[in-house]
Each structure stands twice: as structure tokens, then as C-alpha cells.
Amino acid sequence: MRPTSLYPVFSSVEIVKGVGPKASYFFKNLLGQNRLIDVLFHKPTGLKYRPRMTDASEIKDGMLPVFKIKVMEHVRPALKKHPYRILCQIQSFKGCQLEIVFFNYHKDYLVSSLPEGEIRWISGSVEWYNGKLQMTHPDYIVKDLDEWKIPLYEPVYPLTAGLTNKMVEFVVRNALKEIPYMDEWIDEILLKSNNWPSFKTALEMLHNPKTYDDLTALNKARQRLAYDELLAGQLALSIMRTRFKKQKGNALIGNGSLNEKLKQVLPFELTQAQKRVIGEIRTDLSSEYRMNRLLQGDVGSGKTIVALFAMLQAVESSAQAALMCPTDILSRQHFKKISSLLQDLGVNVVLLTGREKGKTRTELLQKIAQGTAQLIIGTHALFTQDVEFKNLKFVVIDEQHRFGVEQRLFLTQKGCHPDLLVMTATPIPRTLALTYYGDMDVSVIDEKPSMRQKTETCVIPSKAKEETIQKLNNLLQKNQQIYWVCPLVEESEKSDMANATDRYEELSSYFPNQVGLIHGKMNGAQKDAVMQDFLDKKISILVATTVIEVGVDVPSATVMIIEQAERFGLAQLHQLRGRIGRGAEKSTCLLMYSYPLSDVAKKRLEVMRQTDNGFVIAEEDLKLRGAGEVLGTRQSGLENLKLCDYELQSQLIATARKDAQQIIQTDPELKTPRGQAIKMLMYLFEKDVYIPMILAG
Ligand code: ADP
Ligand code: MG
């Protein structure tokens, strides 16, 4: 349970007097949540400086000076569409006039806030115009004695429709008052050597920038807060790791018989990297501790087969193994390939997705519960309530780089403390990997099957489309197979993106009966049928949306055309392109773009053209986009770092990681005074679910 002293900061912004449900709703839009803590963790990105000027000659266009003025005359426009002007005498220094200009205005408001003949203090952006100063829509107008209400410095926040900077600042000021006293959790030596402020002071500094340096990632307050966030994350991972390690799992030793048979039926030699990784997993499975391992390997590096060897080891040990895939298509594809490989091995493989219904489903569930199903392949449906396993001792998760730590934990609660293998083709820069997979051991397949040739990638303008279509003719005559990828399914009014259905019709008119279409709005059976036709070479061109992005494997496809490639992210382009270049034939990828091309988009396409190394692409992606987007976490709402700026503060991760490991080793139950403070940190960063684990062990 969250400590009561933290209740206020975890309350809705509505506890601040003057903030109502409407503002609260806008905060939710802006931050995803509408609690004070979310507003406190919202970093200002700019700064406004409002100097009190005493000399007209020092004023330059665009400055935000504060003046004392005497209102001289309201000049009402003849037409409402003309601006309303108010002439003033600046009192702060001699002999200078100021004209205040309003475009959309309420006359009554202007008359009451700037009455003729009175003194006011005002501030706003100024410009010189014919020897006079002009200010359009002042930011502040206050009465003579209220000058103090105009701040010297003002933080500038990222906003969303409906919220003003003043509103955010107002809530921040109030929220800062609600931070309770907390003991220091950062190691004293680290704190002193970096000269970091306390947590509370750091938040105060964060929201009171006084120089532009204060806005950079090198600022002490920002460094400290980034460290806090990273430390909380690393503690969570350390706790997970320790818990996994401590838990007795199952020693799945196997007798090697099925592994041996699989080797014999395999149509290819395993790569050295595959052999090494199979060995690493074998050792883990054989040990009586629970395995918690990540298998990283670029697209096409052959992860599925590695998983299969491992799953067979479990089956050899009379246990059940499950393979979970993110999509129907992928689980069906795995099911087919694996069943055909295992045809003569006497292993019972079943497929369970959301699409198996009624009697089929009941029968499947029975087989799984009785243990006749030894190898179970499926989607999330595998982990729904009604699925009971007889003795599930090994779970493989394919292509699920978007799972957070908590989801992994949840998935492995089924069965009998199953060993866990997570496979991902999304190459993740090392620093990110430590943050997202820091609880796991890592195996890497760093080699592709040797007969593969590098896919050639070209970047072409969309006006070359007709020409490209003509060229397809040649390819089809050589029996080549082609993916044609479009960004969206249906044309919506808002979007001018190429439309897969349109393209399908266009291509069909050139190449009747040779084109298929697959997109996310089709149902499962329809998708399967099209994929099957493509695999069987009944069709040669497959027009697709990104539904083919993950895992799909048709080795004979050698050409991919991606329309409006500039709209895809790097990771996605890499995944898409990974669908070709899977066989012995040379493959070609055409990235088609339309204008206008932003600099970032240009850079992305260039990166794609130059390299097919997933790790290089991932590093570039991180530089171009930032961490949250690289992992797709912004969309999925998983772990999202708010305070840490990855590109600039990643050097803190290693320290946080070491620190966390040491804390969990020396004070596993967080009983020491520092341990108690650490618990507070975990609550602050909402790692609550890990806290009971500390004791559960
Ligand atoms: P990914 O790592 O992207 O999941 P897959 O497991 O789908 O890759 O493998 C890609 C293709 O390479 C598949 O057709 C698979 O049968 C084939 N393959 C896997 N290992 C080898 C190997 N050692 N030699 C040749 N082909 C292989
Ligand atoms: Mg795969």
C-alpha cells in the first residue's frame, strides 16, 4: 500500500483550488494521467525572462520587458476586424511611448483592465515600430502595487489544446507544496560527488529554471531526477531477477533423443551462433533454477528453430512447452512449419488461438489439460483463464519486444514455474536493453545463415511508380514473388496515404489473377487463405499493409516495394524489409517516397539504404526519435521514462544498475534506513507491484 504521506501528490489535479474537471481532462490529454505527480514530472522545455527595463535603448525586438505605464488613450477601431489600440506613456524611463495592440478583444475587458489615466505594470513581447514600442496582447497587466505578480523567470511547458502555460505553472506551484519530507535514498557518496540536490529541491529547481543551461540534461536537478527514475526501474528489475533466480524451477534435462532426430530432418546446417545459443538455453533448462532469458537476433537470423530445439528438450523431459506469438498469422505459420518438421518425431503439436472455437476449442483444452498436447502454439489466447496446462514447464514468447516486465511476470504465473525464453528481432541499443530486459540473461544470434545475400535497397520517388509496375513484368516472368506494402487500409478524409485496396485493383488490372491483398481489417481465415496462396505461388504479388510486419516467412519472396516509406519508422522499415532476403536468391527493396520529405525522413531512408544491420539501425533510430518511440512504448503505454532523457543521460544507467544490484544484495528486504527510503522511491515511481515481492522472495 502506498504510504499516506504520498496521497496528496497522487491525487487528481482537482484537489488544487481553482482547478476543475475540465482542466483535469486537459491534463489527462497532455500527460496520460491527471495527478499532481504527473504534473510535477512534466519538464519545462523553455524559459521566459522578464527583465525590469530602465533604458529604452537596451530594448530589442522580441524581448519580454516589464514596464510601468500610464494609460493615455483608447483608440477604438472603426471596424471590428481592425485592431484595438491603446496608447501609453512608459513611466520606467523618460520619453517613450508604448502602443498596445489587440486583435480579438472584448472592449469591456480592455476598458476595465486598462482605464485611461491610470498606472499599470505590463509585460509582453515588444517590437520597435516607427520609433515607438509596440506590444501585441500583453501576457501580464497588473495594478500598481501588484508588480510582484509578474515573475522574473517563467518556465515554458509543452502544452495541449485547452491548457495554458499559466495553468500548468499554477498547478506545479501548488503541487510542489504537497511533496512530503522524505529521507534521502541516493547513496551519500554518489550524491556528494555529483553535488546533487535533494529530491524535493531538485523538483523545485526543475520548475524554476533561471538560465538556458538549467533546461539541459546536464543540469544537476535534472540529472538527479533522471537518476531517481532509472534507479527505481533498475531496482524493479533486480527484484524480478532475484525472485526468478530464487524460485526453484524444473530441471528439464532431456535425453537429447528428439533434438537428435530434429537435426536429422532439418534441411540445413545450423549456424555457429544458433548452435551456441541452443547450448546456452540447454544449460539453463537443465538447471533447477528458473530460466529468464532473452534471445536477441536480427530478422531472419533463425530464432524459431532455436526455440524448437529448446522446446523439444522440455518435451524430452515429459513436460509441456508453449510458444506464444503476437498474431494469428504468425502462430499459424509456426504451427505449420513446426508440425511438418516434427511429422515423424511423434510429438503432439497443437494450435490454440482466439479463432479456435466451440467443439474444437473444447477438445484442444482437454488435450492441453490432460497433457496429450506436448507442444502448444498460439496467441495470447494461451494465457486466458480457462486454459489449464497439465505440466507446462517452458514458455517461449516470440516477437514481443513490447511486453513490460509486469506482463512477463504475469505470463509465467501459469503452469509449474515455467522457464521463460523471450525472443525479439527488434535490436535494441545496449543502454535500452539494460532498462527493459535488465532482469534477464541475454543470448544473441549475431550471424545470419551463410547463403543469404545482402538485400539491395533503393530509394525512389513516387512518380517512378508506373515505371516500377512495368518492371514487375520482368520479375514475374522470372517467377519472382513480390510484396507491395502500403501504409493504410482505407482512404480516410484526413489521409492521403496510399490505399492498399486501390493498389490491389490497379496491379490486378495489369496482372490479372496474380495479385493478392492482405490487410488488418480482413478476418483471420481470409488472411490465412491469402498467405497460403502466396506461399503456394498461386499468386505472385501480395499487396499488404503492415500486418506482414512481424515474423512472416515466405523465403521465395525476393522483392519488396514500400510506398510512402517516409511515413514508417526505422524499426518498422527494418522489420518489413526483413520479410525478404530469406532465401538463397538476391533480394531487392524499393523505398518509394513522396514529397515533402522532412530531414528526419530523409535520414531514415538513407540509413535503410546504407545498412541492414539491425543494431546500427536501432542506434540511429534512438538518435532520431528518442527512447520511448523506439520501443513503441509511447503507443502501448508501458514503461515510459518521464524524467530521464536517454540520449543525454544514458551514462547514468550503468551506475543505477550497479547501485540497485548492490542494494538488493546487501539489504534484500529493504529493512535498513536506506532501504526504507528506497521503498519510498519505488512508490514515487509506481513500482508498487515489486514491493511485496521483496518479502515474498
Ligand atoms: P527469425 O529470426 O526472423 O524469426 P526465422 O526463424 O523465421 O527467422 O528463420 C528465417 C528463415 O531462415 C526460415 O525460413 C528458416 O527456416 C531459415 N533458417 C533458419 N536457420 C537456418 C540455417 N541455419 N540455415 C539456413 N536457413 C535457416
Ligand atoms: Mg521469427
Side-chain angles (χ1 to χ4, degrees), residues 15 64 91-92 121 210 215 217 245 261 263 291 315 335 386 430 435 440 571 642 669 697:
I15 68 162
L64 300 166
Q91 309 278 295
S92 311
W121 286 87
K210 300 226 171 342
L215 298 168
K245 284 260 139 91
K261 282 185 197 156
K263 256 182 227 156
M291 167 163 83
V315 175
F335 175 70
D386 59 339
R430 212 187 112 68
T435 307
M440 310 182 99
K642 294 167 188 149
E669 293 178 11

Side-chain angles (χ1 to χ4, degrees), residues 268-271 274 297-305 333-334 337 398-399 423 425 445 449-452 551-553 555 578-579 582:
F268 47 73
E269 262 293 304
L270 292 173
T271 62
Q274 283 172 318
D298 212 345
V299 280
S301 60
K303 293 183 291 293
T304 318
I305 205 73
Q333 175 190 294
H334 282 332
K337 283 185 109 179
D398 191 18
E399 303 286 1
M423 308 201 286
I445 307 184
S450 59
M451 77 300 177
R452 298 275 168 76
V552 168
D553 186 35
R579 301 307 111 218
R582 302 190 140 235

